Amino acid sequence: MDFTRRNILVLGSGVFAAASFAGVPALASKTDDAIAAFTGGVGVIEGGIDLTAPEIAENGNTVPVAVSAPGAVSIMLLATGNPTPAVATFNFGSLAGSRRGSTRIRLAKTQDVVAIAKMEDGTFRRAGATVKVTIGGCGG
Amino acid sequence: MAKGVKPRVKVPKTAAAGETITIKTLISHKMESGRRKDKDGNFIPRSIINRFVVDFNGQNVIDVTLEPAISTNPYFQFDAVVPDAGEFKFTWYDDDGSVYETSKKIKIA
Amino acid sequence: MELKTLLTSMVIIGFSAGLVSAQADATLAVEGEVISTSASAPAFAENLDTVYSGWRFRKLETRSLQLDDFDNPAFVFVDKGIDLFEKVDGTEGKACASCHEDVEDFAGLRPKMPRVEDGTLVTMENLVNECRTERMGAEPWKYSGGQMTAVTALIGLQSRGMSVNVAFDGDAAPFFERGQELYYQRVGQLDMSCSNCHEDNYGVMIRADHLSQGQINGFPTYRLKNAKLNSAHARFKGCMKNIRATPYKEGGDEFKALELYLAARGNGLSVETPSVRN
């Protein structure tokens, strides 16, 4: 094989892809572990929960997120690409006026934010959103 | 106690009995994640608010567990039902054992 | 959804499709009161037609934070400023409030700062520290420290919505000219001047960020980057570090002159103190 510039680029991206694939299971398992700890191993259903987050965050230091899941007992927020995925857990009391909450979170890089709701009937719901975190010029 | 911690809460002054109101809270706190390093390259120890609780006349509204991924100066917005006139009690728990409290009264209109 | 409500509560008139379209054509209404975020450029700023507040260059989520005084995290520091304003300090047993009973009396001061007093260019921070050392018998505060920015934010807030209108003629002319010189002076390893970014390239992306005009009508400003109030001089320092230059001293003659020149470039913009920026 001739090591042309193009070939080297292809080779390089292949290595990069392999490296990033290798990284995925480790990250995913941290998130999976956190979800399993929350659900006790019960299966999670998509839907029935809303997660609002900006598509592009101007600064990963302060990213506004909102979760809402009518009928939820509690909602756990996870940032799958942070060094530790846990962000917060909202536990709703008897005087909660709705099953929603908003806060501002830190995201280390572009990643998926995940919300898992524990429902009154014992089931679990999931929603996710990808947030692009820009590395700023002077602001970042 | 972490230095200069100051809470802010926004609660309507009045509500109808049984009304659902929106509450906003913010507290000035560094939320030191434990992952940052100082000038000498040593990790700055974690120091965050790890729990935030809101009660109304002794009944719970919301109880939040906070992790280091919550931004500096933690902000929360949520809804509460106001069955009667009374008082909201807001409590923030710091890693260092400090407890920050504030309260807001609400009347029935 | 609360966040959506917040975002849609902003009155977006529309986006211009021109080459320099980064400054969103949106109206800033703080607590329902409309604040102008653009103005005709002053005659001396020959290369600009219009001056724009930095608010116009930020993304929707950041802009939204400034619409409501509770959502704006700077206000927890304004609250601290109120406590400091009322706190007795120093050998004279006085607080700021001992002389300045009502902080609202400072309405109208922020748009005129910095100003020349007896041949010296004086900033808001200088006024605060002069009161502390001369009248209260207290130690001066650090120029860009948390106590100082809390109090300058509180004082600046009293003028929110008023038009910036600094004097740059007469006594102020030499300081203004010095500031102008500094604005166009290339410095640092990257050999850049303020104008290279903030006049020639505002609205353009610098990596993943929109360059603003570098207006200072919203200072002290709460930055998401460091989650605290930042003085104008601290921001200048940050800019100089970014271009690999040795920063001038906060509170020093160079930055004071630059502050006057920049304030004059923004004459006609509204005071937005305390603003929220990236």
Side-chain angles (χ1 to χ4, degrees), chain B residues 3-10 22 24-29 72-73 75-77, chain C residues 2-3 6 31 68-73 75-77 79-80 83 222 226-228:
Chain B
K3 246 177 73 188
V5 175
K6 191 166 178 76
R8 289 191 98 210
V9 297
K10 188 177 185 182
T22 297
K24 297 178 182 185
T25 70
L26 189 144
I27 188 163
S28 65
H29 196 285
T72 305
N73 307 326
Y75 169 92
F76 289 104
Q77 182 179 324
Chain C
E2 191 50 34
L3 185 68
L6 235 183
E31 296 283 301
D68 175 301
D69 286 349
F70 199 92
D71 292 327
N72 181 344
F75 274 81
V76 76
F77 300 101
D79 280 357
K80 286 186 184 181
D83 294 345
Y222 183 92
N226 54 19
K228 64 173 187 176

Side-chain angles (χ1 to χ4, degrees), chain A residues 34-121:
Chain A
I35 294 173
F38 186 65
T39 61
V42 176
V44 177
I45 311 159
E46 290 285 333
I49 172 169
D50 276 333
L51 171 63
T52 311
E55 242 172 84
I56 303 174
E58 194 156 36
N59 196 305
N61 250 345
T62 312
V63 183
V65 292
V67 287
S68 174
V73 178
S74 56
I75 304 176
M76 179 175 67
L77 259 181
L78 297 167
T80 58
N82 277 3
T84 46
V87 175
T89 305
F90 294 89
N91 300 293
F92 300 102
S94 55
L95 287 183
S98 67
R99 305 306 155 114
R100 65 185 186 115
S102 308
T103 186
R104 295 167 185 166
I105 70 171
R106 293 168 172 159
L107 297 177
K109 58 179 181 184
T110 296
Q111 58 181 281
D112 289 335
V113 176
V114 171
I116 309 283
K118 180 183 185 183
M119 310 304 281
E120 278 156 353
D121 63 6

Side-chain angles (χ1 to χ4, degrees), chain C residues 52 198 211-216 236 262:
Chain C
Y52 297 102
H198 298 290
L211 279 171
S212 75
Q213 284 186 344
Q215 296 289 352
I216 57 170
F236 300 164
L262 289 177

